Amino acid sequence: MQDQLSFSDLPTRPYTQPHKVPGPDPDETPVIAGRGRLPSYISDHRKRLRERFMSGGADALPDYELLELVLFRAIPRQDVKPLARRMIDKFGDYNAVLSANPRELSKLHGVGNAVIVELKIIEAAAQRLARSRVMERHAVSSWDALIAYCRTIMAHREVEQFRILFLDRRNVLIADEEQARGTVDHVPVYPREVVKRALELNASAIILVHNHPSGDPTPSESDIVMTRRIDEAATTLGITVHDHIIVGRSGELSFRATGHL
């Protein structure tokens, strides 16, 4: 029987499809007086915000204004600044809003299917872009991009997720897979399954990655024990465990750098 141990810590629920609402969403399509034109104060604000973004990039805008740009597409006929501020207040920052669970998003007044879909499109695009920068690349020379990718897909999740990055003999990343998903503070991991999958992919080395939804990347005792068991099983079959990275909202921790591996 395989040993089952768990990684620990606290909150991010997996994305599920938003509920479909028949017909127009009244929160997203309010009636505006006149001939269907936006009031000048709204249209002028949108124009100025777009110009600031194009001239200064994302760094020129606070989180709520960057979120406004996303909401412009989903809600074309009203002032979205109040909604953007409410979303930042509830979830904390721009990244947390993008990765928020659709059920939690829908609890905010003014958030309907169009808003949720737009946010999830942006989130998916960010993940694909980050992934494209590490796949089929040398892991060591693209280490910063690899860490950025792990943070993009895992830092704001509300449940623990365990992923494995598989590398060939040249340390080129050949596959990235989610091996297990758990609860807010538990994810089952089986060393035998980790090594079995590495053999199936003909990988010569692996990098383990999991998240701590609490935000603190400090490893638990069970994290350390599990990593050692995976390393022992992999070494027996000639597979190298290069590192185990714990991702938290406050940063990330490398087992190799901290002497745990």
Side-chain angles (χ1 to χ4, degrees), residues 8-261:
S8 51
D9 271 60
L10 208 78
T12 301
R13 301 171 191 147
Y15 169 61
T16 55
Q17 292 289 341
H19 299 294
K20 292 185 177 180
V21 179
D25 187 327
D27 287 335
E28 295 178 356
T29 56
V31 176
I32 297 177
R35 299 182 178 180
R37 295 181 179 178
L38 280 173
S40 59
Y41 76 94
I42 295 179
S43 59
D44 290 347
H45 170 68
R46 292 188 172 202
K47 180 181 178 181
R48 288 194 300 270
L49 200 55
R50 289 184 175 113
E51 289 174 347
R52 284 173 52 204
F53 174 75
M54 292 306 296
S55 62
D59 290 341
L61 305 177
D63 279 4
Y64 80 90
E65 288 188 335
L66 193 59
L67 188 55
E68 278 189 77
L69 289 171
V70 177
L71 296 177
F72 288 170
R73 292 173 53 84
I75 308 177
R77 301 174 58 199
Q78 75 177 79
D79 181 7
V80 297
K81 182 185 291 186
L83 176 58
R85 286 186 177 276
R86 289 200 304 273
M87 296 174 83
I88 295 296
D89 288 343
K90 178 175 176 61
F91 296 104
D93 60 27
Y94 178 78
N95 293 327
V97 172
L98 290 184
S99 58
N101 186 282
R103 289 190 299 273
E104 295 301 313
L105 287 166
S106 65
K107 293 177 182 179
L108 279 175
H109 176 72
V111 175
N113 285 347
V115 168
I116 293 172
V117 169
E118 198 70 29
L119 292 172
K120 292 306 164 184
I121 289 173
I122 299 297
E123 182 188 26
Q127 292 179 357
R128 287 202 176 189
L129 178 60
R131 190 173 191 271
S132 71
R133 291 172 174 169
V134 297
M135 288 304 300
E136 300 182 2
R137 305 287 180 88
H138 191 277
V140 175
S141 60
S142 59
W143 188 256
D144 289 345
L146 188 147
I147 294 297
Y149 167 63
C150 293
R151 287 189 55 79
T152 298
I153 62 173
M154 300 179 75
H156 292 277
R157 290 184 178 272
E158 295 173 0
V159 297
E160 288 203 7
Q161 180 191 61
F162 182 76
R163 304 186 72 87
I164 310 172
L165 308 181
F166 299 93
L167 295 84
D168 66 13
R169 294 179 181 178
R170 299 171 298 156
N171 283 329
V172 171
L173 185 62
I174 56 175
D176 158 42
E177 296 181 356
E178 177 182 314
Q179 199 268 346
R181 183 179 297 182
T183 63
V184 296
D185 59 1
H186 170 85
V187 61
V189 178
Y190 302 94
R192 186 178 301 174
E193 292 301 316
V194 173
V195 175
K196 177 183 176 182
R197 185 57 178 153
L199 291 173
E200 290 173 348
L201 294 171
N202 197 30
S204 296
I206 58 175
I207 298 172
L208 311 175
V209 189
H210 88 281
N211 63 311
H212 278 182
S214 66
D216 182 3
T218 303
S220 67
E221 184 60 32
S222 62
D223 294 339
I224 296 171
V225 171
M226 174 57 69
T227 303
R228 288 175 180 170
R229 290 190 176 181
I230 293 176
D231 185 44
E232 290 171 359
T235 300
T236 300
L237 295 174
I239 299 169
T240 302
V241 179
H242 279 319
D243 208 342
H244 182 174
I245 301 166
I246 299 180
V247 178
R249 296 182 186 180
S250 60
E252 58 282 329
L253 177 140
S254 162
F255 270 50
R256 182 71 64 184
T258 55
H260 293 300
L261 185 62

